[in-house]
Amino acid sequence: MKYELDIHTHTIASGHAYNTLQEMIHTAKEKGLKLLGVSDHAIAMPGTCHLFYFHNLKVVERQYGDLELMLGSEVNVIGYNGELDLDEETLKGLDYAIASLHTPCLAPGTMAQNTNALIKAMENPHINVIGHPDDSRFPIDYEQLVLAAKKNHVLIEINNSSLNPKGFRQNARENDVTILNLCKQYDVPVCLNSDAHISSDIGNIIFIDPLLAETNFPEELIINTSVDKFKLFLSNK
C-alpha cells in the first residue's frame, strides 16, 4: 500500500528531536512523500518552543517542489475536562492539531478521567487527530473513544513510535489491535504516523503494517493513502 503523507513529526523546536525543519523537508522529499506535517510539541511539554513559534508559522513556505508542508502542533491535554495548552487563537492559526496525553503534562488518571479528557479534547473544533491513545499508563475506554471520534469527526492515530520495542509506552500493540478492530467495526478512519523525532524516521510505519494485516484493516479507512482524502477530512471538521 502506498502512503502519501506523514503528519506527526518533530523538529529541534520540540526540544528533544534532532533535525531542523529544512532537514526534515529534504528527507521527506527523498522518501517520495507528497505531504509532510510537522507537529512540534506545544508549550506545556518541558523543553519545547515558545508560544511565539506557533504564531510565526505564517512565514514558512508550504511548497517544496512536489512536497507540500503543513504546520500544526502536537497539543497537550492538560486537564481531565479536555483543557489544552494552546489557546483558541493559536489553534486557529495552525494547519491542523493533534491532541495527546503525555505524562509530563498530565498525571494519568482513572479510565473514566483519561477517556473524558480525550473526548472533551475532540469536541474542540480545532482538534483533528488524537495522538497515540495506546499507552496503558493512561487507561482508555476504547469503544467510547472510537465512537466519540466518529461523532466529532476526529482521526484516531496509530503511532509507529509507540510500537517500537525500544519505546516506553505500555501495551501499545494490544491496545492498537483493539483500536483498529473498533475503528473497522464502527467505520472510523485512522491516521498512520511515524512520530519521527529524527529525519530518518519520517514515513516509517514498519511496526504498524503487521497490525493492519492482522486485523484485515480496510484501506479505505486509512487517511494516509491520499493527500486529497486527508484535506477533505480536515475541511469537513
Side-chain angles (χ1 to χ4, degrees):
M1 202 180 306
K2 176 68 174 175
Y3 301 119
E4 295 187 350
L5 57 114
D6 183 358
I7 63 160
H8 189 161
T9 70
H10 298 273
T11 73
I12 55 172
S14 285
H16 56 273
Y18 300 97
N19 287 99
T20 65
L21 178 61
Q22 292 299 319
E23 289 167 343
M24 300 290 276
I25 291 167
H26 177 75
T27 301
K29 284 171 61 68
E30 282 191 331
K31 291 192 172 192
L33 288 183
K34 292 186 178 180
L35 188 150
L36 172 66
V38 172
S39 53
D40 281 312
H41 285 287
I43 60 176
M45 179 63 72
T48 195
C49 49
H50 192 276
L51 182 65
F52 293 168
Y53 167 88
F54 299 104
H55 289 178
N56 202 40
L57 292 176
K58 60 184 180 293
V59 306
V60 184
E61 292 191 21
R62 305 305 175 91
Q63 198 68 42
Y64 298 82
D66 294 333
L67 178 74
E68 182 177 355
L69 178 68
M70 294 184 74
L71 299 172
S73 176
E74 186 176 15
V75 182
N76 297 290
V77 182
I78 56 173
Y80 300 122
N81 287 314
E83 297 90 345
L84 304 172
D85 64 341
L86 290 183
D87 58 81
E88 184 175 3
E89 179 188 359
T90 305
L91 288 168
K92 281 171 62 176
L94 302 176
D95 294 333
Y96 66 96
I98 302 168
S100 302
L101 293 167
H102 294 108
T103 53
C105 305
L106 183 67
T110 65
M111 179 179 286
Q113 287 175 318
N114 301 329
T115 304
N116 190 66
L118 290 182
I119 290 175
K120 291 297 185 184
M122 286 188 208
E123 292 173 1
N124 186 305
H126 305 297
I127 295 301
N128 310 107
V129 184
I130 292 297
H132 52 71
D134 52 20
D135 186 350
S136 284
R137 293 178 301 171
F138 288 97
I140 301 291
D141 183 323
Y142 289 121
E143 187 165 28
Q144 284 192 38
L145 186 76
V146 168
L147 289 172
K150 187 179 183 74
K151 177 182 177 182
N152 291 287
H153 197 71
V154 171
L155 294 165
I156 299 289
E157 177 187 72
I158 306 297
N159 185 295
N160 194 72
S161 180
S162 293
L163 295 163
N164 190 325
K166 297 179 181 179
F168 53 84
R169 296 182 189 127
Q170 297 177 4
N171 301 315
R173 189 186 190 284
E174 296 84 350
N175 293 335
D176 281 333
V177 167
T178 298
I179 293 167
L180 286 168
N181 280 323
L182 286 166
C183 286
K184 182 170 69 170
Q185 177 182 346
Y186 291 113
D187 200 36
V188 174
V190 300
C191 194
L192 316 180
N193 289 318
S194 67
D195 198 357
H197 285 65
I198 191 165
S199 63
S200 58
D201 209 28
I202 291 171
N204 181 13
I205 58 163
I206 189 172
F207 301 117
I208 297 176
D209 274 336
L211 303 192
L212 300 177
E214 179 180 332
T215 58
N216 195 27
F217 197 77
E219 181 177 344
E220 59 267 22
L221 291 179
I222 299 174
I223 212 78
N224 307 69
T225 56
S226 165
V227 172
D228 289 340
K229 187 194 295 189
F230 175 60
K231 288 185 173 181
L232 179 61
F233 189 90
L234 292 185
S235 69
N236 289 331
K237 172 68 173 178

